[in-house]
Amino acid sequence: MNLEDTPARARLDRALDDLAVTFHGMTARADETQCTCHWGGADELALLKVPDLELAPDLLRRTWSAPDWSDHGAVLRRVLPQFARALVGGAEAVTTKAEVGQSFARGRWQQWPVRQRDVVEEFLHAWWAHSLTAPAPAIPVHDLLVLCAEASATLTPWLAAWEALDHPTADRHLAEAAAIWTRDLLDDELPWPTWHDEDPLRTELVTWLARHAPIRLRAHDTLLHRIRLAALPTPARWEDPHWPVPRLTPSPAPPAPDRRSGT
C-alpha cells in the first residue's frame, strides 16, 4: 500500500481541492499597489489581478510574505490554492514557520465569509492531522504547530488533537518537539517569535507538556526531567535536585557504508 494512501491524506487532499474550488477566480484588488524597488515590477503585480494564473515560486513567496499590501486578505485569497499546495509539498520548507502563520493572520481569514473561513480552517486541521502520523512530514510537526498557532492565535485545538491521538509516530514527533522546545521553555521563553501575547502561549505549552508528555514519553527520562523543570516556577526550578538540567544526548549517527563490500 502507498504510505500516503491513508484516511488522513485523503482528508488533506479534499481540503486542498476545496480551497481550489472556493477561491477560484479570486484576484488582488484592482487598485492594489506594491513597491517596485523591494517587491517586484508592475508586470508581476498585474499577474495578481488575473485569476487562477499559476505564479513562479519566487513570485509566490514574495507575494504571501510581503507585509504591506493594502488588502492582504484579497492577495492571500488570490494565491491560497497554490500556496497551500506548495506548503504541503514542502516547497516552503526553509521558510520560518511563524512567518507563514503570520501571513494567514495578516489576511484575517477568521473574519472572511463563512464558507471561505471554514475551508481554511479545515485545511489547517487536515494538514495538522496528517502530519501528526506521517513518518517524515514535509514540515516537521513542531514547526507546523508554530504555523497553525500563529495563523489561528491559539494553541488549544492543535494540542488537543495531538493529545487525543494515540499513535507511535505522533509520540515520536512529541519527543522531537519537546527536546527542541525545552531549550527555551527552561528560560521562560516561548520557542518561537509570535505576534500574539507570548505569556499565555508559553504557559499553555509548558502546562500541556507537563501533563501529557509523561504518559507518552516514558522511555525518555532526561527529557521528562527537562519538561518537569520547565513547568516549575523559579526559584523552585533552580533548587530542584535535577538542576542544572542535563544535556540531551543526540542519537548516534548510522555507520558509514563499507564501500569495499559494496554495502
Side-chain angles (χ1 to χ4, degrees), residues 145-146 149-150 152-156 158-159 185 189-208:
L145 181 67
V146 174
E150 289 301 301
S152 61
T154 181
L155 278 168
T156 303
W158 318 109
L159 295 179
L185 292 175
E189 295 179 356
L190 187 69
W192 63 85
T194 182
W195 269 20
H196 311 296
D197 192 348
E198 178 175 336
D199 285 344
L201 291 173
R202 178 184 54 79
T203 299
E204 181 174 5
L205 180 61
V206 76
T207 301
W208 181 82

Side-chain angles (χ1 to χ4, degrees), residues 81 129 143 168 174 181 197 207 231 235 253:
D143 281 335
L174 177 60
W181 291 335
D197 192 348
T207 301

Side-chain angles (χ1 to χ4, degrees), residues 123-218:
F123 161 65
L124 292 173
H125 280 277
W127 188 17
W128 178 241
H130 171 262
S131 296
L132 284 174
T133 56
I139 293 180
V141 164
H142 62 272
D143 281 335
L144 184 54
L145 181 67
V146 174
L147 188 158
C148 292
E150 289 301 301
S152 61
T154 181
L155 278 168
T156 303
W158 318 109
L159 295 179
W162 204 345
E163 184 169 352
L165 189 58
D166 185 6
H167 194 285
T169 301
D171 293 348
R172 177 171 60 80
H173 292 319
L174 177 60
E176 293 168 355
I180 293 169
W181 291 335
T182 52
R183 300 169 193 166
D184 294 300
L185 292 175
L186 284 163
D187 292 328
D188 291 328
E189 295 179 356
L190 187 69
W192 63 85
T194 182
W195 269 20
H196 311 296
D197 192 348
E198 178 175 336
D199 285 344
L201 291 173
R202 178 184 54 79
T203 299
E204 181 174 5
L205 180 61
V206 76
T207 301
W208 181 82
L209 279 172
R211 184 186 74 244
H212 180 57
I215 303 170
R216 300 298 177 93
L217 304 180
R218 293 187 179 92

Side-chain angles (χ1 to χ4, degrees), residues 33-152:
T33 60
Q34 189 49 266
C35 174
T36 57
C37 297
H38 299 97
W39 179 82
D43 290 346
E44 291 178 313
L45 180 61
L47 297 177
L48 302 183
K49 301 172 184 180
V50 177
D52 307 319
L53 186 67
E54 196 87 351
L55 305 181
D58 178 64
L59 177 57
L60 175 65
R61 187 168 193 272
R62 281 185 280 125
T63 297
W64 68 255
S65 62
D68 52 353
W69 297 109
S70 60
D71 189 341
H72 188 91
V75 171
L76 185 60
R77 288 190 291 270
R78 161 63 178 85
V79 302
L80 193 51
Q82 182 184 355
F83 183 29
R85 290 191 181 278
L87 287 169
V88 170
E92 302 290 345
V94 298
T95 301
T96 301
K97 301 313 171 295
E99 184 183 0
V100 177
Q102 288 157 10
S103 180
F104 277 81
R106 280 199 303 275
R108 300 182 179 181
W109 64 273
Q110 290 163 309
Q111 299 175 24
W112 293 354
V114 173
R115 172 62 181 167
Q116 296 178 9
R117 182 186 68 217
D118 287 350
V119 296
V120 173
E121 183 173 33
E122 171 58 14
F123 161 65
L124 292 173
H125 280 277
W127 188 17
W128 178 241
H130 171 262
S131 296
L132 284 174
T133 56
I139 293 180
V141 164
H142 62 272
D143 281 335
L144 184 54
L145 181 67
V146 174
L147 188 158
C148 292
E150 289 301 301
S152 61

